[in-house]
Amino acid sequence: MPLHAYKAMDQTGKIVQGSMDALNLVDLEMRLKRMGLDLIDGSPVKRGNFGGNRIGRRELIAFCLHLDQLMRAGVTIIDSLTDLRDSSDNPRFREVLADLIESVEGGKTLSQALAAHPRIFDGVFVSLIRAGEETGKLPQVLHNLTESLKWQDELAAQTKKLLTYPVFLLVVAVLVTLFMMLYLVPQMVGFLKNMGQALPLHTQLLIATSNFFVHYWYLLLAVPIMIGVVLATLVRTRPQARLRLDALQLSLPWLGEIFKKIILARFASVFAMMYASGISVLDSLRIIQDVVGNAVIRQGLQRVAAMIGEGQSITAAFQNAGMFPPLVIRMLRIGENTGSLDTALTNVSYFYTRDVRESIGRVQSLIEPALTIIVGAVLGWVMLAVLGPIYDAIAKLKI
């Protein structure tokens, strides 16, 4: 269906601009009417990325929470979606909600309508909604999705916290080094050479380093960008390159263990939610493979699913995969023996989430002094290389 850009006016006279899928301008006008908008102008545009406004996790949390509360109060899905559409501040999300309303009014189920927007509602989301519809527990599924999305939002915040401060300190260290090598040291090179004495080795190294920065600064900018582009291309086009990069991510000192715990916490939480919603173990593993975000873990889950399909127990399959820690295996065994696998997986998720939070604090306490030492070492090298010859020259003066 073609994408159309439009300019419209709402009931208060406010001009609204956006884009929407429509067969033609007449269809566009009818769709906007359902949103309470009067079309002023519209035209088809080339389809690029879906929408101009990003739909983030916060919008999805509001979506699930809103539907959960209204459905528990006896409000129909169409009326709930309409109310959410009218109260949303995100123009792109309003368009998506309008399309959902039209699809449901046309006879589709909510899960079928959501599946038409895979960039917004992933496979896990759609499968859980479908399971809720089939079991008659849609409000409970929406409640679980709300809690899961809130947890993922908190986990994402923890991950950003882990990366933001070290990156900031690293940028500061790079800027300080560039300032000294491109400006400060070149200002003093002439003075040092005019002193008429042999320069020590560390001063010669500093001058050579500064000259390289001055004459080949474009390489310092271009090489990292080229390496990044090449790596991104390889990862996107070659599965083996993606596998090696993800394996390297999990093997990084300090950070690798945290990344693995974050992935396992997400996996356990989603697996528990899908299992509790009535989705089979094999279907859950198949869907989760696409959302773990790491090729190494994905391969492990594929091996687990294959072994379970051959008749092995869940615990034995995870244990034979050889990549899941003893805590996961132990909790799976307890859950399988007691018939409460979802509770056991929820406990695993809780443990890893707490452990990730503590690990982030420990790593940050180590990164800060490490980067401070690196910056101090560079500054000390510059001061020693510059002031050393000056001090030696002054010491040789006979006053």
Side-chain angles (χ1 to χ4, degrees):
M1 190 176 294
L3 183 68
H4 288 73
Y6 67 83
K7 180 189 294 184
M9 183 171 60
D10 62 15
Q11 296 176 353
T12 63
K14 180 181 177 182
I15 300 298
V16 178
Q17 292 182 329
S19 58
M20 178 180 291
D21 292 321
L23 294 173
N24 46 48
L25 290 179
V26 175
D27 185 33
L28 176 65
E29 185 175 9
M30 293 176 60
R31 289 169 180 259
L32 291 174
K33 278 287 185 183
R34 296 190 186 99
M35 297 174 58
L37 299 174
D38 293 321
L39 178 65
I40 298 176
D41 187 26
S43 59
V45 296
K46 288 185 177 180
R47 183 177 293 275
N49 291 332
F50 192 72
N53 297 81
R54 183 178 180 272
I55 298 176
R57 195 178 289 112
R58 299 295 175 90
E59 282 83 3
L60 293 180
I61 292 174
F63 174 83
C64 295
L65 180 62
H66 187 95
L67 285 185
D68 174 29
Q69 292 176 340
L70 290 181
M71 291 187 68
R72 290 179 188 274
V75 182
T76 65
I77 291 180
I78 293 178
D79 290 340
S80 300
L81 292 173
T82 302
D83 185 59
L84 183 57
R85 180 201 65 192
D86 295 339
S87 61
S88 176
D89 295 328
N90 189 319
R92 179 59 193 143
F93 199 34
R94 285 202 303 270
E95 296 166 10
V96 173
L97 291 169
D99 186 70
L100 294 179
I101 294 169
E102 183 176 356
S103 298
V104 174
E105 287 178 338
K108 291 184 178 180
T109 64
L110 179 60
S111 60
Q112 290 172 337
L114 296 174
H117 303 276
R119 296 187 181 181
I120 302 171
F121 306 102
D122 59 25
V124 172
F125 198 104
V126 174
S127 297
L128 286 169
I129 296 297
R130 184 182 299 115
E133 291 171 336
E134 294 173 352
T135 59
K137 298 179 180 179
L138 186 55
Q140 182 62 40
V141 169
L142 288 167
H143 173 75
N144 293 339
L145 271 171
T146 302
E147 296 302 316
S148 176
L149 289 170
K150 287 180 180 178
W151 171 82
Q152 291 180 36
D153 195 55
E154 179 184 354
L155 199 61
Q158 292 290 333
T159 306
K160 289 179 182 178
K161 183 180 178 182
L162 171 65
L163 299 175
T164 300
Y165 188 63
V167 169
F168 172 76
L169 289 180
L170 185 61
V171 170
V172 172
V174 170
L175 291 177
V176 170
T177 303
L178 289 176
F179 171 75
M180 290 187 296
M181 295 301 173
L182 294 175
Y183 178 77
L184 184 61
V185 174
Q187 295 292 323
M188 298 183 175
V189 167
F191 174 73
L192 293 174
K193 289 183 177 180
N194 291 332
M195 292 176 58
Q197 65 178 18
L199 298 176
L201 178 61
H202 56 271
T203 302
Q204 296 179 25
L205 289 175
L206 178 65
I207 294 174
T209 303
S210 176
N211 288 336
F212 179 82
F213 272 73
V214 171
H215 294 99
Y216 301 101
W217 59 268
Y218 53 90
L219 290 179
L220 298 174
L221 294 177
V223 170
I225 294 175
M226 291 176 61
I227 292 175
V229 171
V230 170
L231 286 177
T233 304
L234 289 175
V235 167
R236 189 170 57 252
T237 58
R238 298 190 179 183
Q240 194 64 26
R242 176 61 184 267
L243 182 64
R244 291 182 178 179
L245 185 64
D246 286 347
L248 176 63
Q249 181 190 49
L250 297 180
S251 63
L252 291 173
W254 301 326
L255 298 180
E257 191 65 25
I258 295 178
F259 289 143
K260 187 173 183 179
K261 290 175 181 177
I262 290 174
I263 294 171
L264 290 176
R266 185 188 302 124
F267 156 75
S269 175
V270 175
F271 192 12
M273 186 169 51
M274 299 188 75
Y275 184 80
S277 300
I279 302 175
S280 68
V281 172
L282 285 176
D283 288 339
S284 298
L285 290 175
R286 176 180 54 80
I287 297 169
I288 294 173
Q289 290 173 20
D290 298 327
V291 298
V292 291
N294 186 280
V296 177
I297 304 296
R298 185 184 301 115
Q299 278 195 351
L301 292 177
Q302 289 172 351
R303 293 197 298 270
V304 169
M307 286 184 281
I308 293 176
E310 294 170 357
Q312 294 190 23
S313 66
I314 298 174
T315 304
F318 274 88
Q319 189 169 11
N320 293 334
M323 60 177 302
F324 295 94
L327 173 68
V328 175
I329 305 301
R330 186 164 54 251
M331 296 303 294
L332 285 172
R333 182 179 294 111
I334 294 172
E336 196 171 12
N337 292 337
T338 60
S340 55
L341 186 60
D342 53 335
T343 302
L345 289 167
T346 301
N347 291 335
V348 171
S349 176
Y350 168 77
F351 174 82
Y352 276 128
T353 302
R354 186 184 64 182
D355 198 17
V356 164
R357 189 178 295 112
E358 295 174 354
S359 298
I360 287 175
R362 289 195 298 267
V363 169
Q364 285 186 329
S365 65
L366 293 173
I367 289 178
E368 181 177 357
L371 290 178
T372 302
I373 291 174
I374 292 174
V375 175
V378 174
L379 288 173
W381 176 38
V382 173
M383 297 299 292
L384 179 64
V386 173
L387 297 181
I390 297 176
Y391 178 80
D392 292 339
I394 295 175
K396 291 178 181 179
L397 293 176
K398 296 181 180 180
I399 300 178

